Amino acid sequence: MALVVICGQPCSGKSKAALCLAESLKESEVKYQVRIIDEASFHLDRNESYANMPSEKNLRGVLRSEVDRSVAKDNIIIVDSLNSIKGYRYELWCLARAAGIRYCVVYCDVEENNCRKWNEERRAKGEANYNDTIFDDLVRRFERPDSRNRWDAPLFELWPHRDGIDKSSAAILDAVSYLTKKVDSKTRDVKILQPTIATQTSRFSDANSLYELDKATQEVTNTIAEAQSQSLGGPLVGISVGKDLPIINISRPVGLPELRRMRRTFIKLTGQTSLSGPPPPSDADSAKRMFIDYLNRELGTS
């Protein structure tokens, strides 16, 4: 039903805002499931996750993949993380658009000196905190949300240091109203994102084609994952999926989340092509052959 992105500097009260919003939503008349996705969900240490760019990129990838799997029209997902890079917020907005759901950003606006003080207080109490080097780097790279950007709108702003945060905070109540308001033909103040042809998986006219494509690509993905578990991180060269099918040659280790994303992308691309060209493959071998060719082009050794 909705995707909510919590945004703010390190130690600005984002997690408390996420909890207050989730509790307020659960107390409202909405019957949807409310779930918070954050680093703690995956037992990720904040200093290790932001120690360098590869680790930070991996963290964002883990969270994005979980959001991608979780967004649906029967739940509300709250992403509790820094979400400090506007390009990353745009990626999350695209996931909401592809799912055809509501989207908003809740911003905890706190000055740097107050965030630093709260971080030091957490450290003194032995609670999760950022070391000074990482804290300074995150503050320097923070990209403030702007409601003029579609991926930052609507924007609900909290001022935790000035007003505190609780379930009755104005921004929390406004966000709950936006997320739960019933929409009809006369509603103008609530926007439900609409998938485009580039983000929506085509509804194939032939149900068997969709079934075969889904099943075949899953078998290829399982084969790669199994081979990779036995390769000890080396290149995957000469993987055979079946007789008379192309050989899979992958030049680097590929995580299961990335394989799943590529599988979904391939299915979407195949669906888009079928709108103006030939129908998708209706037999398993043809579907596997197309998917293997796609993977070899994207990840191959050549």
Side-chain angles (χ1 to χ4, degrees):
M1 179 187 173
L3 175 62
V4 182
V5 174
I6 306 291
C7 176
Q9 297 273 23
C11 293
S12 58
K14 298 181 300 301
S15 295
K16 185 174 181 180
L19 287 172
C20 288
L21 178 58
E23 290 176 4
S24 188
L25 284 166
K26 291 174 182 178
E27 292 174 0
S28 68
E29 296 180 357
V30 68
K31 302 302 180 183
Y32 299 103
Q33 178 182 357
V34 180
R35 181 189 173 196
I36 296 176
I37 294 177
D38 57 8
E39 289 95 335
S41 305
F42 302 94
H43 308 288
L44 297 172
D45 179 85
R46 61 184 64 191
N47 286 308
E48 292 178 1
S49 297
Y50 292 103
N52 50 58
M53 284 301 161
S55 296
E56 185 174 337
K57 184 178 180 181
N58 178 69
L59 167 65
R60 291 199 297 269
V62 168
L63 295 176
R64 183 177 55 242
S65 295
E66 188 62 24
V67 171
D68 194 14
R69 286 191 291 268
S70 303
V71 289
K73 295 185 178 180
D74 59 353
N75 57 24
I76 298 176
I77 300 299
I78 301 172
V79 188
D80 173 22
S81 186
L82 290 176
N83 298 316
S84 57
I85 299 175
K86 60 184 178 181
Y88 184 60
R89 295 197 296 271
Y90 173 74
E91 292 179 16
L92 296 175
W93 177 84
C94 287
L95 295 180
R97 181 179 63 174
I101 58 178
R102 304 181 201 197
Y103 173 91
C104 70
V105 174
V106 175
Y107 173 40
C108 293
D109 190 353
V110 180
E111 292 184 2
E112 176 188 338
N113 60 327
N114 292 317
C115 292
R116 189 181 301 277
K117 178 182 177 182
W118 287 346
N119 186 53
E120 292 172 353
E121 289 176 353
R122 291 183 184 181
R123 185 180 303 156
K125 295 177 182 178
E127 299 174 352
N129 65 88
Y130 298 91
N131 67 48
D132 292 337
T133 300
I134 290 177
F135 181 91
D136 291 340
D137 179 59
L138 293 174
V139 168
R140 177 180 57 82
R141 293 190 291 112
F142 180 77
E143 295 177 324
R144 185 186 182 98
D146 185 340
S147 61
R148 292 172 295 182
N149 298 325
R150 54 185 174 171
W151 56 85
D152 289 334
L155 180 64
F156 301 101
E157 295 188 63
L158 288 163
W159 291 272
H161 181 259
R162 187 189 72 187
D163 304 329
I165 307 175
D166 55 46
K167 293 183 291 184
S168 62
S169 297
I172 297 293
L173 295 177
D174 289 344
V176 170
S177 175
Y178 180 83
L179 295 168
T180 60
K181 186 173 183 178
K182 293 183 179 180
V183 176
D184 55 32
S185 59
K186 297 181 180 179
T187 305
R188 295 290 181 269
D189 58 343
V190 175
K191 183 177 182 181
I192 297 177
L193 301 179
Q194 298 300 319
T196 65
I197 192 172
T199 60
Q200 187 177 32
T201 303
S202 171
R203 289 194 176 104
F204 303 127
S205 58
D206 186 349
N208 186 60
S209 296
L210 177 58
Y211 172 78
E212 290 295 344
L213 187 64
D214 184 79
K215 181 180 177 182
T217 53
Q218 184 63 61
E219 289 181 9
V220 173
T221 299
N222 291 343
T223 299
I224 294 173
E226 183 177 354
Q228 193 161 238
S229 68
Q230 300 174 1
S231 69
L232 302 179
L236 304 181
V237 180
I239 301 174
S240 175
V241 178
K243 185 180 179 182
D244 299 327
L245 290 174
I247 296 298
I248 302 174
N249 296 305
I250 296 179
S251 60
R252 61 177 175 81
V254 184
L256 190 56
E258 183 177 1
L259 280 173
R260 288 171 175 165
R261 287 198 301 273
M262 296 190 72
R263 175 173 172 263
R264 287 194 296 270
T265 299
F266 171 77
I267 292 175
K268 290 177 182 178
L269 290 173
T270 304
Q272 293 163 25
T273 302
S274 71
L275 294 177
S276 58
S282 58
D283 65 282
D285 282 350
S286 296
K288 290 178 182 177
R289 185 175 293 107
M290 290 175 61
F291 187 43
I292 292 170
D293 288 342
Y294 171 77
L295 291 174
N296 281 339
R297 286 197 307 272
E298 297 294 320
L299 301 169
T301 56
S302 57

